Amino acid sequence: MNRPTALKDSARELYSFQTRLLTASLVVLVAFGGLVARFVWLQVNQHDHYQTLAESNRISIVPVTPNRGLILDRNGVVLANNFSAYTLEITPSKTRGLEETIDDLSKLIDITPKDRKRFKKLLEESKNFESLPIKTRLSDEEVAKFAANRYRFPGVEINARLFRHYPLNEIASHLIGYIGRINDKDLADIEARDETTNYKGTDHIGKTGLEQSYEHELHGTTGYAEVETDAGGRAVRTLRVKPPIAGNNLILSVDIELQKVVENAFGDRRGALVAIEPNTGGVLAFVSKPGFDPNLFVDGIDPQSWKELNESPDKPLNNRALQGTYPPGSTFKPFMALAALEYGKRTPQQAIADPGFFNFGGHRFRDDKPGGHGYVDMYRSIVVSCDTYYYMLANDLGIDSIARFMKAFGFGQLSGIDIDGEKTGVLPSPEWKRKRFKKPEMQKWYLGETVSVAIGQGYNAYTPMQMAHAVSTLANDGVMFKPHTVKFIENSVNEVRTLIEPKPIATLPLKQSNIDVIKRAMVGVNIEGTGAGVFRNAPYLAAGKTGTAQVFSLKGAKYSAHGTKEHLRDHAWYIVFAPADKPKIALAVLVENGGFGAQAAAPIARLVLDYYLAGKKPDQPAAESTEINGD
């Protein structure tokens, strides 16, 4: 039986086709509408935003670092300046292999083992994405060689940089300080000062000395350049420049020729000298010996040089003038005598019979002269430096009066000099001892300790800066000026100078008649006393005091320099001002382990005063005096 044949429904198929076509058209229309809407959104509503992004891709903002300000002495001698040079720099993260890159570079440019060591030290201290110098101060020939082979060294560039230069090398190194690469601590300090923007593009910052203390004046204001770059990030042209503003110049109160005389006078000896203009507080010379070459630090010091400086037994990186603290020895006595006059504990005429010792509390305090000095009044106590006189005086004054009087002169206090890092030293007192020691039995003040304090021993410890400040105040009849090393700040653009006004910070309530007693005695030191042998035939009248400070306790034993290791020998001190009637200069000299003050420290002072007051320039270091009459 045959099945019936199905007939084709054309109308239904047409309807189905039209429905699918309509649906597809609607989908296409909606999609196209979405594209148009997105296009309108981007072109109209987001136009400014994307235009800015596009410009950012094309334009780079490049910081332009300012020239660092210069440092000059009071006569215009340049102590720190800048020069421009090409440096070969590597960004480690962009190289194919750091060691391989350096090896290949060394075939083009002379890269020494010292350069490699310095680069590795910088690498350890820096982040891997920073550009670090492998070779500085390239010659034109070296620049040309690298330019021709640049395509072979991804991550390596030649940049023009400004370099700091210290033309006098070691001279005044502790005063001027040095700059070094910015580290994490420096960055934190910069952020804390909200100066991050101003340090964009700056690699170096002041680390010590005036370079550190006056960083805010020396650095200047960073400028910027809008630079058009290509797709590879290479600069095509500069569109706009806001020039940087160079840092200000520092004009110092320091006389660099005097500074040279001082440094030469020390020879190979360790120590410090600070010379001050009493009626202004201006520092004339600031010496710490030995010094160092600050140029070593500018490019990043190499490990070998760092090791030599850091491990030297002479410790050349120690700023002895500002941070070294030493017992003052007998240079303390003029101030003790003045305290006795002011507190009414002595008159100038009162005398003692010095047997060569002072018994107190079952202990015998010895004078340095066996048999004693005989009858000693205040004048003679300073001239011959009689210990027994001051042992007795200390017992009458008491430690509280001594500490109160010495504090007013700046002992154990920051002088306020415009160089960072000053140490306070130790002005001993019962209150200081309670704070210093934790164990109750060690906090008690013993009367015998007062006796030792009187001759500048015991817990006494002061910096050469403090000693110079104190003798300068005495020379200026009790008017105390804040010591400062910078005399003018000079605007590097218009060269207008701003004077750093000398600031009297205190006028001590002292009787002029009492000051005159002490000054006469200090003049006597150089005429008939412990300094007479050194200052014989001086063409000016100088008022001074010698001092010899024990480094360790003898505990009753007899001291012998020849039988004592060099670093355990006594320190030599000398304080002086001159001319005695109208002082132009006051200074303190310390010679570490130099022996008697008259032996090692006073001869240095004599050479310095001869130059400053009489124009006599020495050509040899100071010779030790063999004429010693007391400490």
Side-chain angles (χ1 to χ4, degrees):
M1 189 171 131
N2 294 333
R3 301 181 66 178
T5 303
L7 296 176
K8 187 175 182 180
D9 188 347
S10 300
R12 186 173 180 175
E13 289 180 354
L14 178 61
Y15 175 77
S16 176
F17 173 75
Q18 289 176 334
T19 301
R20 288 197 295 272
L21 180 62
L22 181 60
T23 301
S25 299
L26 284 173
V27 170
V28 170
L29 187 61
V30 169
F32 186 74
L35 288 173
V36 171
R38 182 64 179 167
F39 179 76
V40 171
W41 170 261
L42 294 175
Q43 288 294 321
V44 178
N45 290 23
Q46 296 293 304
H47 176 269
D48 293 343
H49 172 68
Y50 285 102
Q51 185 180 37
T52 302
L53 289 181
E55 288 295 317
S56 298
N57 284 337
R58 188 170 63 88
I59 299 174
S60 296
I61 305 298
V62 179
V64 182
T65 55
N67 283 355
R68 194 172 177 83
L70 309 180
I71 301 176
L72 305 94
D73 90 327
R74 65 189 303 154
N75 298 312
V77 178
V78 177
L79 310 180
N81 57 16
N82 311 299
F83 68 93
S84 179
Y86 290 108
T87 65
L88 185 65
E89 299 184 4
I90 299 176
T91 306
S93 60
K94 294 182 179 179
T95 60
R96 296 193 186 105
L98 188 56
E99 289 297 330
E100 182 182 351
T101 298
I102 296 175
D103 289 341
D104 290 343
L105 282 171
S106 64
K107 296 172 184 173
L108 285 178
I109 294 171
D110 181 24
I111 297 175
T112 65
K114 202 171 183 178
D115 293 329
R116 287 176 182 258
K117 289 179 181 176
R118 184 174 55 215
F119 180 81
K120 287 181 179 177
K121 188 171 186 294
L122 288 175
L123 190 61
E124 291 169 0
E125 298 169 350
S126 306
K127 295 178 174 59
N128 200 38
F129 53 82
E130 286 183 343
S131 173
L132 301 171
I134 179 76
K135 177 78 176 180
T136 58
R137 309 177 199 193
L138 298 180
S139 66
D140 291 342
E141 184 182 355
E142 289 173 323
V143 172
K145 277 185 181 178
F146 177 78
N149 291 274
R150 180 180 173 181
Y151 68 94
R152 294 171 47 202
F153 299 99
V156 183
E157 296 285 345
I158 284 183
N159 291 313
R161 298 273 187 189
L162 279 176
F163 287 90
R164 199 61 157 170
H165 181 55
Y166 304 99
L168 300 182
N169 302 320
E170 283 197 20
I171 301 295
S173 53
H174 285 283
L175 166 67
I176 300 167
Y178 60 85
I179 65 169
R181 291 185 71 83
I182 293 174
N183 58 28
D184 290 342
K185 181 181 179 301
D186 298 324
L187 279 177
D189 291 341
I190 290 169
E191 287 175 5
R193 298 198 305 267
D194 197 21
E195 291 186 301
T196 303
T197 302
N198 197 35
Y199 274 80
K200 291 288 185 186
T202 300
D203 296 323
H204 294 78
I205 195 169
K207 296 286 187 179
T208 65
L210 293 172
E211 292 279 27
Q212 178 190 34
S213 304
Y214 283 86
E215 172 67 26
H216 61 290
E217 295 286 353
L218 293 166
H219 179 266
T221 304
T222 299
Y224 66 84
E226 289 183 3
V227 178
E228 186 177 2
T229 58
D230 61 15
R234 287 182 285 273
V236 176
R237 61 173 173 151
T238 301
L239 302 176
R240 193 159 70 95
V241 175
K242 181 183 178 183
I245 301 173
N248 293 326
N249 300 328
L250 305 182
I251 314 298
L252 308 187
S253 59
V254 170
D255 182 338
I256 201 63
E257 290 304 316
L258 177 67
Q259 179 93 11
K260 290 179 183 176
V261 167
V262 175
E263 301 211 12
N264 181 59
F266 265 89
D268 295 331
R269 286 167 280 202
R270 302 183 306 276
L273 181 149
V274 179
I276 297 177
E277 204 171 47
N279 60 357
T280 66
V283 174
L284 299 169
F286 182 97
V287 171
S288 176
K289 291 283 287 183
F292 58 89
D293 184 356
N295 292 302
L296 290 172
F297 292 87
V298 174
D299 299 343
I301 189 168
D302 65 274
Q304 182 63 32
S305 299
W306 174 250
K307 185 179 179 182
E308 289 173 3
L309 287 173
N310 214 29
E311 296 182 2
S312 168
D314 290 338
K315 301 186 184 306
L317 294 178
N318 283 5
N319 187 338
R320 291 170 164 83
L322 206 61
Q323 297 171 336
T325 58
Y326 310 84
S330 295
T331 58
F332 209 51
K333 291 173 180 171
F335 301 95
M336 283 290 298
L338 185 56
L341 294 173
E342 291 291 328
Y343 287 128
K345 296 294 183 182
R346 292 287 188 277
T347 65
Q349 296 76 27
Q350 277 182 289
I352 65 160
D354 172 23
F357 58 86
F358 174 59
N359 288 325
F360 183 83
H363 178 77
R364 174 166 289 191
F365 293 86
R366 298 180 184 277
D367 195 286
D368 70 320
K369 183 178 181 181
H373 296 276
Y375 282 95
V376 178
D377 61 9
M378 184 169 284
Y379 174 87
R380 189 166 166 75
S381 75
I382 293 175
V383 169
V384 301
S385 199
C386 174
D387 289 342
T388 308
Y389 183 95
Y390 290 94
Y391 292 147
M392 295 179 178
L393 176 58
N395 196 37
D396 291 344
L397 275 172
I399 188 61
D400 289 330
S401 295
I402 294 172
R404 186 165 55 250
F405 188 83
M406 298 303 173
K407 183 178 180 181
F409 265 95
F411 289 101
Q413 316 297 311
L414 297 179
S415 70
I417 189 174
D418 52 348
I419 305 176
D420 292 345
E422 183 179 11
K423 290 281 183 68
T424 56
V426 176
L427 174 60
S429 69
E431 181 184 0
W432 166 82
K433 201 174 180 186
R434 282 194 296 272
K435 294 177 180 176
R436 170 64 179 80
F437 296 102
K438 293 182 180 178
K439 295 180 179 178
E441 63 271 24
M442 297 185 70
Q443 292 177 332
K444 183 181 177 183
W445 184 268
Y446 297 96
L447 295 178
E449 293 174 326
T450 305
V451 177
S452 294
V453 165
I455 60 165
Q457 293 289 162
Y459 294 112
N460 278 308
Y462 309 117
T463 65
M465 179 67 241
Q466 286 174 346
M467 296 303 297
H469 191 208
V471 72
S472 176
T473 302
L474 179 62
N476 207 33
D477 296 333
V479 180
M480 177 181 284
F481 279 84
K482 182 179 179 181
H484 60 276
T485 59
V486 176
K487 192 172 185 179
F488 296 101
I489 303 289
E490 183 182 71
N491 186 305
S492 57
V493 178
N494 56 25
E495 298 184 351
V496 172
R497 291 183 172 186
T498 302
L499 175 67
I500 306 297
E501 292 283 353
K503 293 180 181 176
I505 52 178
T507 300
L508 306 187
L510 305 170
K511 292 180 182 176
Q512 187 60 48
S513 57
N514 291 339
I515 294 174
D516 292 342
V517 169
I518 303 304
K519 286 186 172 181
R520 276 197 297 274
M522 292 177 70
V523 170
V525 168
N526 291 336
I527 294 176
E528 55 178 323
T530 54
V534 175
F535 278 85
R536 186 170 293 118
N537 301 323
Y540 47 81
L541 203 58
K545 181 68 189 82
T546 54
T548 305
Q550 290 179 357
V551 174
F552 69 104
S553 176
L554 294 172
K555 297 180 180 178
K558 185 175 175 60
Y559 172 79
S560 168
H562 296 296
T564 305
K565 293 180 180 178
E566 194 272 343
H567 68 282
L568 293 177
R569 293 174 190 167
D570 295 342
H571 297 318
W573 275 103
Y574 190 69
I575 59 173
V576 65
F577 58 87
D581 54 343
K582 292 182 180 178
K584 294 180 179 177
I585 182 172
L587 58 88
V589 191
L590 167 84
V591 180
E592 274 188 9
N593 310 116
F596 290 105
Q599 178 185 11
I604 292 175
R606 171 70 194 267
L607 291 188
V608 173
L609 295 182
D610 279 358
Y611 171 75
Y612 194 70
L613 299 175
K616 184 180 176 184
K617 192 167 186 175
D619 53 7
Q620 296 288 332
E624 290 192 352
S625 173
T626 56
E627 192 173 340
I628 304 166
N629 298 306
D631 67 353

